[in-house]
Amino acid sequence: PDGAHDQRARHLPVDDSVLTWRNVPLTAAVSDTGGCGRRERAQVRSAAPMAHRVTLIPGDGTGPELTEATRRVLEATGVDFEWDVRQAGVDVMEEAGTPLPDETLASVKANGVALKGPITTPIGTGFRSVNVALRHELELYACLRPCKSYPGVRSRYEGVDVVVVRENTEDLYAGIEYEAGTETAERVIAMLNDLQVKQITPGSGISVKPISAAGSERIIRFAFEYARAHGRREVAGVTKANIMKFTDGLFLSVFREVAADYPDVASREVLVDALTMQLVQRPEEFDVLVLPNLYGDIISDLTAGLVGGLGVAPGANIGEHAAVFEATHGSAPKYKGQNKVNPTAMILSGKLMLEHLGERDAAQRLEAAVAAVIAEGSRVTYDLKPTRDDPTAVGTSEYADAIIEKLET
């Protein structure tokens, strides 16, 4: 998002005549705000914009259909792209021996931006999640999940506009676990029992919850920079600091320190259990939420449910040097090849990518076109109809056609 990660500019070619920032030629000076904010630039002349080189990962299951629809819609905005198509997921396992080939990862690292279709992750067995692997390998520490009401989408709520900012690298999802009954787990239990009065029962499974000051500051500052750049009114820091005083308590302490650096953005503190109730009762009262990893995972699905489900919930995972934009739902392999699945979440993820690339006008036009098609309700997929068996529902490709028509009028 704008204002949060200007380091991505280091990937851009710069010559002696034109200075670019977020792939967009600058025509006026930009003042320095410090921290993660904008950098000071000299005034330079305008020039024709370069095409944005983006890694395109179609995914598997219905992913290729959704990706193709999204690609066509993005190109209809008038923004120039150079697509670097790479593969990942179950469809490349046999040939590559891995769901995330080295050349795919190298492409994302080189280009700095990727648009990814859904990828199947077996539950309990099989390969490691490609999504998790990408976040780890690319150090994508910030998960951005906007959840917004669109008239025409079936929901119990109206006027919801919440942005969830989730820390991606720490907390109980750090992957530091010890299996119950193993020698290593018993050694960890014995060591901890020697250090504390409260005893852990032998035979327990152990998960470690690391939260650092540096990781907390990075994600909290990201949330405030996002709020400032997008004209949001408030950032809420979400923890369970009244119980977990040395982990969530640290996150809360850092939140208070960082909030003081942003007097133009209101802040508040809320406990995660209270937040779940308040979101169900009064979701319109919340704006930007910043949370540790586990809470962010849960709350982002809750907020998606408030606005109609994962089918209309975009997502982005952003780091210092790369960003991956993707729908937050699964690959729905049972619908593969049927031209049936709703591409809204992925198209809106493309809208987030446009913002990240500095194409704010195109992003706004794209969102307006999506909203208009949904509000009209005549050329939408089955899940956006009043009943799911409505015979007037259109397919993935036809829905994209309707959005493209709005963009071109």
Side-chain angles (χ1 to χ4, degrees):
D2 289 359
H5 295 286
D6 297 341
Q7 289 92 337
R8 75 177 76 94
R10 70 184 63 173
H11 302 293
L12 307 180
V14 178
D15 60 33
D16 293 335
S17 60
V18 179
L19 182 63
T20 60
W21 182 48
R22 299 195 189 100
N23 288 354
V24 181
L26 292 175
T27 57
V30 180
S31 63
D32 181 28
T33 60
C36 299
R38 295 168 292 183
R39 304 262 179 93
E40 191 170 14
R41 302 286 190 181
Q43 188 166 355
V44 296
R45 66 177 178 83
S46 62
M50 296 176 60
H52 299 290
R53 185 170 173 82
V54 175
T55 300
L56 186 66
I57 305 173
D60 56 41
T62 59
E65 299 163 61
L66 300 175
T67 302
E68 176 61 14
T70 301
R71 181 195 64 78
R72 293 196 297 116
V73 168
L74 286 170
E75 291 181 351
T77 65
V79 175
D80 290 328
F81 293 97
E82 182 182 347
W83 302 108
D84 183 8
V85 181
R86 301 289 173 169
Q87 301 301 320
V90 297
D91 294 342
V92 299
M93 274 290 292
E94 183 175 348
E95 179 181 348
T98 172
L100 182 60
D102 291 341
E103 55 267 28
T104 299
L105 185 60
S107 171
V108 182
K109 288 181 177 179
N111 295 326
V113 182
L115 180 66
K116 186 180 76 63
I119 290 176
T120 303
T121 301
I123 297 176
T125 60
F127 56 79
R128 182 188 183 194
S129 164
V130 171
N131 299 330
V132 173
L134 282 170
R135 293 170 197 168
H136 174 75
E137 294 293 336
L138 300 171
E139 298 182 19
L140 306 178
Y141 68 87
C143 178
L144 185 67
R145 294 277 297 271
C147 295
K148 183 176 180 179
S149 297
Y150 291 99
V153 177
R154 286 178 294 141
S155 172
R156 297 178 182 272
Y157 299 90
E158 297 178 352
V160 179
D161 187 4
V162 178
V163 178
V164 176
V165 177
R166 166 190 169 191
E167 204 286 322
N168 251 349
T169 66
E170 300 188 323
D171 198 9
L172 287 168
Y173 284 13
I176 306 172
E177 293 190 282
Y178 302 93
E179 185 179 358
T182 62
E183 180 182 352
T184 304
E186 293 307 309
R187 287 171 57 193
V188 171
I189 291 169
M191 179 187 68
L192 292 173
N193 283 345
D194 285 342
L195 294 173
Q196 59 197 22
V197 174
K198 187 173 182 62
Q199 297 291 285
I200 301 171
T201 303
S204 297
I206 303 293
S207 289
V208 179
K209 179 187 170 83
I211 290 184
S212 70
S216 299
E217 179 177 2
R218 185 170 62 173
I219 193 64
I220 293 166
R221 199 168 292 280
F222 178 101
F224 275 96
E225 288 289 340
Y226 179 91
R228 175 180 280 173
H230 290 79
R232 313 293 296 208
R233 68 181 188 278
E234 179 188 80
V235 176
V238 183
T239 67
K240 190 63 177 172
N242 59 329
I243 302 298
M244 287 172 281
K245 300 181 184 298
F246 301 134
T247 49
D248 286 28
L250 175 60
F251 190 93
L252 177 58
S253 177
V254 174
F255 177 82
R256 291 169 176 169
E257 293 175 2
V258 173
D261 293 337
Y262 296 86
D264 53 318
V265 180
S267 64
R268 74 157 120 170
E269 303 162 10
V270 58
L271 296 174
V272 66
D273 48 348
L275 175 68
T276 58
M277 179 182 69
Q278 292 167 19
L279 281 170
V280 171
Q281 292 178 319
R282 304 180 301 278
E284 69 280 357
E285 293 185 4
F286 292 94
D287 193 358
V288 178
L289 308 173
V290 61
L291 314 87
N293 205 339
L294 174 62
Y295 307 147
D297 187 18
I298 296 168
I299 295 299
S300 58
D301 274 15
L302 188 158
T303 52
L306 298 176
V307 299
L310 294 176
V312 293
N317 290 284
I318 300 171
E320 298 289 347
H321 307 293
V324 177
F325 299 85
E326 58 190 325
T328 59
H329 56 70
S331 60
K334 70 177 181 179
Y335 294 120
K336 179 179 179 180
Q338 297 182 31
N339 188 38
K340 184 174 183 177
V341 176
N342 179 3
T344 301
M346 191 164 178
I347 291 172
L348 291 176
S349 297
K351 177 254 185 184
L352 296 180
M353 185 180 75
L354 288 172
E355 290 181 340
H356 179 82
L357 294 170
E359 302 285 358
R360 293 291 291 272
D361 176 70
Q364 291 170 1
R365 288 188 290 108
L366 174 55
E367 183 181 22
V370 171
V373 170
I374 293 174
E376 289 175 3
S378 58
R379 299 170 67 186
V380 296
T381 52
Y382 74 100
D383 56 314
L384 294 174
K385 288 289 187 177
T387 60
R388 296 171 74 89
D389 59 354
D390 190 320
T392 66
V394 303
T396 306
S397 182
E398 291 74 21
Y399 175 70
D401 290 341
I403 296 171
I404 291 169
E405 288 180 16
K406 292 292 184 184
L407 284 165
E408 293 177 344
T409 57

